Amino acid sequence: MRLIHTPTPSTNTHTGLLCAWYQGAGGFGCSGDMSRAADRLKAVFNHLDPSLASVRASNTSGQTITHNYQPHHFRYTNDNDLLSLDQRLFYEKNGFVVIKNLVSEEDIDRFRGAFERICRREVTPPGLVVMRDVAIASSEFVPDQKAVSKIQDFQEDPELFRYCTLPEVLQYVECFVGEDIMAMHTMLINKPPDAGKKTSRHPLHQDLHYFPFRPVDKIVCAWTAMERITRQNGCLVVLPGTHTDTLKEHDYPEWEGGVNKMYHGVQDFDPQLPRAHLEMEKGDTVFFHPLLIHGSGMNQTSGFRKAISCHYASAHCYYIDVKGTSQENIEEEVKAIAARKYGLTDGISFQDMWAIRGRLVKGERISL
């Protein structure tokens, strides 16, 4: 709905404009009583958003009406014709938005097949990181998956990386980061059935903890359900609105039963903050801000729960030095893992590791 402001007309012209606008907005009639018309207009504006408009009417013989309409200030989303106003306002306030049925069933089945080939070791893409649940690493109750809980950095697997380039996904990513888009971090999460140690949980965390690049508002995650995801099999849990806060300190939570490698959690947050459980159908995709506090509960079913995701950033983002910050602990851990796995020395930096992962998926590669 859009109002076009024109120079102050005569009283009769005002009456005609108000009548036409009311009729177009939903069949309101016009009584000719300007005071009542102004009250109606004020009510409509306040119904849309009381903070955005004020309407004044004078009861003097001149009967003047003043419109002070102020547009929304959007910090986290870009102007385009894809996200509706409601979707933009929801993301601005909550830090996430779910797009139903975005990725096709055919594509998801192909991604599942590529994942299973990796689990069977039929392919070994360079740079791929395979993670296993600490509580069931020796279990063979799903022989072809061998307790694989997650694969990361699948940018060298053509089929899995195709997810990051899907036009239907990228059109939404552009709403958050702009036209020049880098795929920076890729994951396929295969949450296993919990073995009684509660290790299938993922502690509440902020994804920015892992990323040495900024600005924060030009980073977004796309996370797609590869099957029906419920509270029973460990859906995402988010703390709406926490994306407006700062990056908090992270470390391993002191959980009974142990925690999987690199599953850091926020050390200090208000446990009374409201939570939202994102139950999703196959193909549904949630886009969320890297400061949004989120995690997932236990998988209390007998099957694995799969989702595929990619963190995108504007190609105009830049790297920062995290030494001396709350992110230094994750930098040291990542470098230690790289040293063990690849024999890398101190000659490669945290930023270098991310630059190697990053892939341009749209537009021009600028800084990352």
Side-chain angles (χ1 to χ4, degrees):
M1 185 181 296
R2 186 163 60 97
L3 274 180
I4 300 175
H5 179 72
T6 57
T8 305
S10 66
T11 300
N12 289 337
T13 306
H14 266 309
T15 306
L17 284 173
L18 281 170
C19 288
W21 191 85
Y22 273 83
Q23 291 164 354
F28 288 100
C30 182
S31 65
D33 184 335
M34 288 301 299
S35 177
R36 289 177 60 193
D39 288 342
R40 289 183 189 137
L41 185 59
K42 182 176 181 179
V44 171
F45 269 115
N46 288 338
H47 175 70
L48 293 174
D49 191 332
S51 66
L52 300 180
S54 64
V55 180
R56 290 190 296 109
S58 169
N59 287 324
T60 63
S61 58
Q63 284 195 319
T64 60
I65 295 178
T66 302
H67 305 274
N68 286 329
Y69 180 78
Q70 299 179 2
H72 293 277
H73 174 69
F74 293 107
R75 171 178 171 179
Y76 303 105
T77 57
N78 300 321
D79 291 329
N80 55 52
D81 296 327
L82 185 60
L83 289 176
S84 69
L85 178 59
D86 284 345
Q87 288 171 324
R88 292 187 71 183
L89 291 174
F90 188 91
Y91 188 92
E92 294 280 331
K93 178 180 179 180
N94 296 288
F96 70 95
V97 64
V98 177
I99 307 299
K100 305 293 289 182
N101 197 31
L102 182 63
V103 178
S104 72
E105 184 170 345
E106 177 186 0
D107 279 329
I108 289 173
D109 290 344
R110 288 175 60 178
F111 302 146
R112 179 186 292 269
F115 170 73
E116 291 173 354
R117 286 192 293 275
I118 290 171
C119 290
R120 293 192 298 267
R121 300 184 181 180
E122 295 174 6
V123 293
T124 54
L128 186 77
V129 176
V130 178
M131 304 176 70
R132 289 177 168 81
D133 189 282
V134 295
I136 54 174
S138 61
S139 172
E140 295 295 331
F141 63 89
V142 184
D144 68 329
Q145 296 181 22
K146 299 184 184 299
V148 172
S149 60
K150 181 190 296 186
I151 60 172
Q152 293 190 152
D153 305 327
F154 56 66
Q155 64 274 1
E156 298 299 334
D157 185 285
E159 182 57 52
L160 288 178
F161 191 72
R162 195 172 58 81
Y163 169 77
C164 306
T165 66
L166 290 175
E168 57 267 38
V169 173
L170 288 180
Q171 66 177 346
Y172 279 98
V173 173
E174 190 173 334
C175 298
F176 307 102
V177 308
E179 297 180 352
D180 299 308
I181 304 173
M182 297 286 295
M184 297 300 295
H185 184 228
T186 54
M187 292 190 300
L188 193 153
I189 305 102
N190 187 47
K191 183 186 281 289
D194 198 88
K197 300 292 187 180
K198 301 182 180 180
T199 53
S200 66
R201 294 177 295 176
H202 196 145
L204 291 169
H205 64 284
Q206 297 165 299
D207 288 341
L208 189 68
H209 171 65
Y210 298 91
F211 303 152
F213 41 88
R214 303 291 189 274
V216 60
D217 294 337
K218 293 302 179 182
I219 305 168
V220 72
C221 179
W223 193 100
T224 297
M226 294 179 65
E227 56 205 300
R228 188 166 188 267
I229 294 179
T230 66
R231 295 186 67 166
Q232 286 67 43
N233 64 9
C235 67
L236 282 181
V237 180
V238 302
L239 276 57
T242 50
H243 67 301
T244 62
D245 206 345
T246 57
L247 179 62
K248 299 182 179 298
E249 290 190 11
H250 288 62
D251 210 333
Y252 287 107
E254 296 181 0
W255 280 356
E256 179 185 357
V259 184
N260 285 305
K261 194 68 174 173
M262 296 183 68
Y263 276 31
H264 290 192
V266 173
Q267 295 297 290
D268 181 26
F269 69 95
D270 182 358
Q272 300 304 315
L273 288 172
R275 303 184 181 195
H277 293 80
L278 305 187
E279 296 192 314
M280 300 165 65
E281 299 295 332
K282 184 176 182 178
D284 292 354
T285 302
V286 58
F287 295 89
F288 61 91
H289 191 277
L291 281 175
L292 181 72
I293 296 178
H294 66 286
S296 61
M298 290 187 295
N299 181 356
Q300 302 177 66
T301 69
S302 60
F304 284 69
R305 185 275 274 161
K306 291 179 175 62
I308 189 169
S309 73
C310 178
H311 282 89
Y312 298 89
S314 166
H316 298 263
C317 287
Y318 51 86
Y319 291 106
I320 64 167
D321 186 353
V322 301
K323 283 185 169 52
T325 74
S326 65
Q327 292 181 260
E328 190 170 2
N329 61 346
I330 192 65
E331 176 187 36
E332 294 304 318
E333 188 167 340
V334 169
K335 290 175 71 173
I337 292 172
R340 288 195 303 270
K341 184 172 182 178
Y342 303 110
L344 297 175
T345 66
D346 290 338
I348 187 168
S349 69
F350 195 35
Q351 293 93 325
D352 291 334
M353 295 178 189
W354 281 101
I356 292 169
R357 290 184 178 104
R359 296 289 185 274
L360 181 72
V361 290
K362 187 174 183 181
E364 182 179 356
R365 188 166 190 169
I366 310 297
S367 300
L368 288 180

